[in-house]
Amino acid sequence: MTKLSDVLDVVVNELDATHDADGFVTLPDDYLPNFIVTRSGSERHFTKRAQDAVGSLVIRLYSDRSEYQDVVRQEQFRQLVRSCVADLHAEARFATTPSEGRARLKLLEQELEDRLRGVQLPFGHAFPATTLGIEAKGTYWVGPVEVASVKDWFESITLSARNLRQYGIPESSDWRAELHVVLQSSERRGVRPNSPDYLEELVEAFHGCDAVVSIAVSGLEQHYSREVARMAARTALDGISLLSRRGGTAFSQQALSDERLPPLRSHSVVGFKGEHWIGGSWTERAIPVRQGGIRSNVFGDERMYESLCEVVGCLVDSRSHRHPQLAMRWAAALEWYAEGCREASATLAVTKLASSLDVLTCGRTANGITQMMTNLLGITPNDPVFENDTASLRQVVQRIYGDGRSQLLHGNHVDREVAFDEERGQARALADFALLNLLKRLSTYQGPDTEFAFIDMPP
């Protein structure tokens, strides 16, 4: 295998061949524009050969060094390597470093280390969200994630002078109060309010949102830290929806603002005997959930709530949880469950809800799901599980997973006229019960952090 130092030399030699000391460029006829402006202000152009060598360098460096994988995604790392190579070349640092041995590679790695140290600052990330309204009675936390009303969040932050200039907001204006009035003037059902021109961008970002979900992430490059922050924020909201005990309606109303949600209204156009009727109705997303008892459901069971906080914290720092693999497995199952609740199609919903159960059992299919549910429910596989349904637990799981998810995903069931509404309801009930009970059991679990532990986790 070609040595990394030799791969770097290919890049440097190609840049040498196309740039002189003054930055003058001599490029091949088949060159397609691919360049970067260095920190000194000059340009460095990457030919096809240079690009291929940079790609090879990035893959090798990233896969061989865990310290890069821990703080930055590969795509951002590629951009970082290109920038470092271009800057070092423009500053003649490669020219004054011996090409023999690893001297140039060490120079590049030191530059990468310095840059990464500079971008591993705490980044605060905030996400507008539509919610169940719990934060209206006061800001609350789910582990490291803060959920605050839009008004309270804006009162807690300061826009930079540059941001104010960008939006044309007069520094002397009480823009927070103005924004609050504008946002409050429209109904949640989607009516677009009129607003001063200088508030247009802010209104666009927060219109229709009840809350801001925010979190600070340390030790990661900015793009990577936002991915982690988003994952934690989404899990926090979905976890609160689960604890609210409001069923699928909660998931249809509570999510980050750019998540896929059901429409606010459904419309129908029906023709009969040459005449048409056009109608519409609000969906469950637009009908506020019953608030009575919702806070006690979420916060009343301290053991359950603290366990959710620990899971969310684990997504940001896996060292914070006693069983990080199980915590991340539970969070992954919750994501499938939440998407199943939001899904309009019953067939797709069954596949997602059954996948949630499958994730909890680490792919042990119908047998594993049945074993897990017998442990959680305290019944045998042959006992009925739903009222007014004589089907045994084993048969219900087989309908949901074997006859449902597996047949649908593998293309063995393509008749779109067959309804899966009953299987959807049963899958949601089983997954809801499993997620809630396993979250509670995880809080006191003392066993090993193994992938199959949820199947027979004790109370």
Side-chain angles (χ1 to χ4, degrees):
M1 180 181 290
T2 306
K3 293 188 295 186
L4 269 175
S5 56
D6 292 338
V7 177
L8 176 58
D9 281 341
V10 172
V11 181
V12 174
N13 293 339
E14 194 69 9
L15 291 176
D16 286 343
T18 53
H19 302 78
D20 64 17
D22 298 324
F24 182 80
V25 181
T26 303
L27 295 168
D29 293 337
D30 61 349
Y31 170 74
L32 294 175
N34 189 300
F35 65 93
I36 189 171
V37 178
T38 68
R39 59 190 170 194
S40 64
S42 60
E43 294 179 356
R44 282 301 179 269
H45 293 251
F46 290 81
T47 62
K48 180 65 167 60
R49 187 162 185 256
Q51 293 172 50
D52 291 343
V54 167
S56 178
L57 185 68
V58 166
I59 292 172
R60 295 272 299 280
L61 280 172
Y62 193 78
S63 61
D64 291 348
R65 289 159 175 69
S66 61
E67 62 267 29
Y68 297 147
Q69 300 170 26
D70 290 342
V71 299
V72 63
R73 292 294 196 196
Q74 185 167 321
E75 182 54 38
Q76 281 71 48
F77 184 67
R78 177 188 297 274
Q79 298 171 15
L80 184 63
V81 170
R82 269 172 49 93
S83 177
C84 288
V85 167
D87 289 343
L88 292 172
H89 189 271
E91 294 162 9
R93 302 276 297 281
F94 287 128
T96 57
T97 302
S99 60
E100 297 79 13
R102 292 173 46 86
R104 285 181 171 177
L105 184 60
K106 289 181 178 179
L107 176 67
L108 173 61
E109 289 184 313
Q110 184 60 54
E111 184 70 17
L112 286 168
E113 182 180 332
D114 292 343
R115 298 275 188 99
L116 285 173
R117 190 182 302 114
V119 300
Q120 293 175 47
L121 303 172
F123 288 104
H125 300 285
F127 307 90
T130 57
T131 67
L132 302 176
I134 299 174
E135 72 290 333
K137 293 187 177 181
T139 298
Y140 67 92
W141 293 78
V142 186
V145 174
E146 179 189 55
V147 185
S149 68
V150 173
K151 182 177 185 296
D152 288 346
W153 184 78
F154 270 113
E155 291 294 338
S156 70
I157 69 160
T158 301
L159 286 181
S160 69
R162 180 178 178 183
N163 222 193
L164 291 172
R165 289 195 301 272
Q166 175 186 351
Y167 292 143
I169 299 176
E171 292 190 31
S172 59
S173 68
D174 189 357
W175 59 269
R176 291 182 180 85
E178 290 184 68
L179 178 64
H180 180 63
V181 169
V182 171
L183 292 175
Q184 289 293 103
S185 69
S186 65
E187 296 181 5
R188 184 180 178 183
R189 290 175 171 177
V191 179
R192 186 69 169 83
N194 294 320
S195 61
D197 290 344
Y198 60 78
L199 289 180
E200 190 66 25
E201 289 288 340
L202 297 181
V203 172
E204 185 70 28
F206 293 91
H207 170 57
C209 295
D210 310 282
V212 178
V213 185
S214 56
I215 179 176
V217 178
S218 301
L220 301 177
E221 177 270 338
Q222 181 180 348
H223 291 83
Y224 193 4
S225 72
R226 187 164 182 82
E227 287 183 31
V228 171
R230 182 183 179 83
M231 178 173 56
R234 183 177 184 182
T235 301
L237 283 188
D238 286 343
I240 293 298
S241 295
L242 180 73
L243 267 57
S244 74
R245 311 300 207 281
R246 292 298 187 264
T249 303
F251 291 92
S252 296
Q253 295 191 12
Q254 180 159 267
L256 304 183
S257 62
D258 56 355
E259 294 287 347
R260 183 177 64 91
L261 286 174
L264 288 167
R265 285 179 64 86
S266 62
H267 300 275
S268 63
V269 180
V270 179
F272 181 69
K273 291 185 177 181
E275 296 181 335
H276 284 78
W277 287 265
I278 301 175
S281 61
W282 297 109
T283 68
E284 66 176 6
R285 178 186 164 196
I287 302 172
V289 298
R290 179 172 50 84
Q291 290 293 311
I294 195 169
R295 290 182 66 87
S296 61
N297 286 345
V298 172
F299 306 116
D301 190 329
E302 292 185 13
R303 181 172 150 195
M304 186 93 76
Y305 180 69
E306 286 302 318
S307 187
L308 174 62
C309 292
E310 290 171 358
V311 167
V312 174
C314 179
L315 299 179
V316 180
D317 182 2
S318 62
R319 298 167 299 181
S320 68
H321 203 286
R322 300 178 304 280
H323 301 92
Q325 295 302 317
L326 285 171
M328 287 187 280
R329 179 170 296 282
W330 186 90
L334 174 66
E335 183 174 15
W336 279 107
Y337 174 75
E339 286 304 301
C341 289
R342 297 183 182 113
E343 181 57 60
S345 165
T347 53
L348 293 179
V350 167
T351 63
K352 293 177 179 180
L353 294 167
S355 293
S356 174
L357 293 165
D358 204 25
V359 169
L360 289 173
T361 61
C362 192
R364 284 292 182 93
T365 65
N367 288 334
I369 295 171
T370 301
Q371 185 180 342
M372 178 181 70
M373 295 309 303
T374 58
N375 177 52
L376 294 175
L377 291 165
I379 62 176
T380 74
N382 296 320
D383 289 333
V385 64
F386 292 108
E387 292 183 9
N388 304 319
D389 188 342
T390 59
S392 68
L393 172 63
R394 191 192 307 277
Q395 291 170 328
V396 169
V397 172
Q398 177 60 32
R399 287 202 307 240
I400 292 169
Y401 188 89
D403 302 334
R405 175 194 177 278
S406 295
Q407 296 293 320
L408 290 165
L409 287 181
H410 296 152
N412 297 322
H413 181 86
V414 294
D415 187 349
R416 308 304 293 160
E417 293 184 3
V418 176
F420 277 85
D421 296 313
E422 183 180 10
E423 288 82 356
R424 174 182 189 158
Q426 293 179 338
R428 187 162 66 187
L430 291 182
D432 179 89
F433 186 86
L435 285 165
L436 283 169
N437 280 272
L438 289 173
L439 179 64
K440 194 167 189 175
R441 295 186 181 200
L442 184 60
S443 66
T444 56
Y445 176 65
Q446 299 296 323
D449 189 21
T450 61
E451 55 193 5
F452 301 114
F454 281 138
I455 294 178
D456 54 8
M457 184 172 284

